[in-house]
Amino acid sequence: MNDEPPARDPVGEDARIDALDERLKALREREEKRNRPVAGGETDENYRAGNRVLSELLGGIAGGLFLGWLIDHFAGTSPWGLLVMLFVGIFIAFRNIIRISNRRPD
């Protein structure tokens, strides 16, 4: 065995690697903060308004179709009652959507 000290001391970690690790950690924290969902009152209000618009649109179309089908079924006016009531339902749905969008925030 050798009683002499080793010629090379073990090399400590490079300062560049430490700096790179710190930068990566900071970037990961920023990315997590950026991707975190924002849950505020404004978000909930907009979500409710969007759901209301969607329900008005679908309800107007479905209601017009149903009423038109009923009219056609009982009156025997095969496609015309359905078509007329479909367009009436679409008109009413868009009228309600315009009313919702013109409402002033409280």
Side-chain angles (χ1 to χ4, degrees):
M1 318 280 177
N2 197 352
D3 290 335
E4 295 179 19
R8 294 184 180 175
D9 290 329
V11 177
E13 288 200 27
D14 192 6
R16 293 179 296 175
I17 293 176
D18 292 337
L20 182 62
D21 285 338
E22 289 175 12
R23 287 177 38 205
L24 283 173
K25 183 180 177 183
L27 285 173
R28 283 187 189 121
E29 288 174 1
R30 260 197 306 178
E31 187 68 18
E32 285 178 16
K33 185 184 287 186
R34 188 175 68 93
N35 289 335
R36 212 172 283 147
V38 178
E42 183 179 309
T43 304
D44 292 338
E45 184 177 328
N46 291 337
Y47 187 76
R48 282 193 302 263
N51 281 337
R52 176 134 188 240
V53 166
L54 180 64
S55 67
E56 290 285 347
L57 184 63
L58 294 177
I61 293 172
L65 283 173
F66 179 70
L67 290 176
W69 177 80
L70 280 177
I71 290 171
D72 281 343
H73 182 70
F74 291 114
T77 58
S78 186
W80 297 109
L82 183 86
L83 290 174
V84 168
M85 291 308 289
L86 174 66
F87 286 116
V88 168
I90 290 171
F91 174 76
I92 290 172
F94 278 110
R95 184 195 63 170
N96 289 341
I97 291 170
I98 291 169
R99 282 184 179 176
I100 291 169
S101 65
N102 287 336
R103 186 174 295 161
R104 294 183 184 195
D106 295 334

